[in-house]
Amino acid sequence: DAKIENVTFNTISINKKTAEVEVSIYVNSSDKKDLALDVSISNGDTFYEQKIPLTSSSKNKICFKIKEPKLWWTNGEGEQNLYLLNVKLVKEKVVLDVIQKNVGIRSIELVLKEKNKATIKFRVNKKDIYSKGVNWIPADSFLPRANKKKYSELLLLAKQANMNIVRVWGGGVYEDDEFYNICDELGLLVWQDFMFACGSYPENDDFIANVSEEVTQNVLRLQHHAC
């Protein structure tokens, strides 16, 4: 009858006592009658839940105010606290679809100007971060061999070398979900290139439309990650 197409997660604001976060749920359904969303955010200490009827729009937003939030930090700046986001699509008490994602409460800004001078730096949770990064190319020429174990071993080396950013090179691939999950856990920000390095690309309408779809799909797939 219906399915959850995508879920995005954003930290709207943070102060010492509370954080406001926003969950956007995209639902694909021919008939929205009697459909509802049951959304919860939890960690070991707290649990927040909201239930709302599905609106006529395909995009539904729910806001939570998290008391005394445990923030996600980059490697070397603090802990990598994660919350479980659980989204259920329900019709008359029957669960039609479920999506679960690990999310981190954190703000991030790209600062390009300061005191009327050009600069480039990241500000995480209102704190300037000294960026230390490495380049990531595909971990194996045969992509399916790059499993969770190999990802973990290589990314842990980056963490142990005090890195806090991994740039996914645009001549490689959009990595498996497990890669980004591990970066969340290790506190490694991901500078994600689109896959258009090292070559010239067509500029006709069909190719541009294909690229647009590729960009949309990958942004929606990866957006919720704290990293």
Side-chain angles (χ1 to χ4, degrees):
D1 293 332
K3 69 173 184 175
I4 302 168
E5 285 283 3
N6 283 292
V7 174
T8 62
F9 178 86
N10 284 295
T11 301
I12 305 302
S13 64
I14 296 173
N15 59 46
K16 291 181 179 180
K17 293 185 178 180
T18 61
E20 184 179 354
V21 300
E22 181 184 85
V23 183
S24 296
I25 304 110
Y26 302 78
V27 175
N28 188 345
S29 172
S30 56
D31 182 10
K32 294 179 172 56
K33 185 180 178 183
D34 299 325
L35 289 175
L37 290 166
D38 184 344
V39 182
S40 65
I41 294 178
S42 60
N43 62 9
D45 302 318
T46 58
F47 181 85
Y48 298 85
E49 184 178 30
Q50 289 191 47
K51 299 177 183 179
I52 62 166
L54 206 66
T55 66
S56 57
S57 168
S58 62
K59 182 179 178 182
N60 295 259
K61 289 185 179 181
I62 295 178
C63 290
F64 290 90
K65 287 194 174 180
I66 312 294
K67 294 180 180 178
E68 298 179 353
K70 294 183 176 180
L71 303 183
W72 183 93
W73 288 94
T74 55
N75 181 34
E77 300 294 339
E79 295 183 359
Q80 288 75 54
N81 296 298
L82 294 170
Y83 287 72
L84 178 64
L85 174 63
N86 191 45
V87 180
K88 294 180 184 178
L89 181 62
V90 182
K91 184 172 185 177
E92 297 173 345
K93 297 184 179 180
V94 176
V95 177
L96 302 181
D97 200 2
V98 179
I99 285 183
Q100 288 187 333
K101 296 180 182 291
N102 287 320
V103 296
I105 298 175
R106 61 101 181 97
S107 64
I108 186 165
E109 303 169 66
L110 173 58
V111 182
L112 296 175
K113 198 169 187 179
E114 196 169 57
K115 296 179 181 177
N116 292 321
K117 291 184 178 180
T119 185
I120 178 167
K121 61 183 178 181
F122 289 104
R123 186 170 290 155
V124 177
N125 300 331
K126 301 179 182 178
K127 180 180 180 181
D128 290 350
I129 300 300
Y130 185 79
S131 300
K132 295 166 285 186
V134 291
N135 222 28
W136 176 275
I137 64 170
D140 199 301
S141 297
F142 294 92
L143 297 177
R145 291 198 307 207
N147 55 22
K148 182 178 180 179
K149 182 175 181 291
K150 192 162 190 177
Y151 280 142
S152 295
E153 289 172 350
L154 291 171
L155 290 169
L156 185 59
L157 290 175
K159 179 184 176 73
Q160 290 171 343
N162 296 314
M163 298 298 118
N164 56 20
I165 296 183
V166 176
R167 177 234 179 173
V168 178
W169 169 60
V173 296
Y174 302 101
E175 291 291 346
D176 185 85
D177 288 349
E178 205 58 63
F179 172 88
Y180 304 95
N181 290 336
I182 295 167
C183 287
D184 283 342
E185 294 165 8
L186 297 180
L188 299 172
L189 290 171
V190 176
W191 178 300
Q192 176 68 57
D193 282 5
F194 292 108
M195 296 300 130
F196 303 107
C198 307
S200 298
Y201 297 89
E203 297 180 18
N204 60 66
D205 291 344
D206 287 345
F207 187 81
I208 297 298
N210 192 44
V211 168
S212 178
E213 186 68 17
E214 176 181 323
V215 168
T216 300
Q217 288 177 359
N218 281 285
V219 168
L220 288 174
R221 177 172 77 96
L222 303 176
Q223 183 276 340
H224 71 277
H225 286 281
C227 69

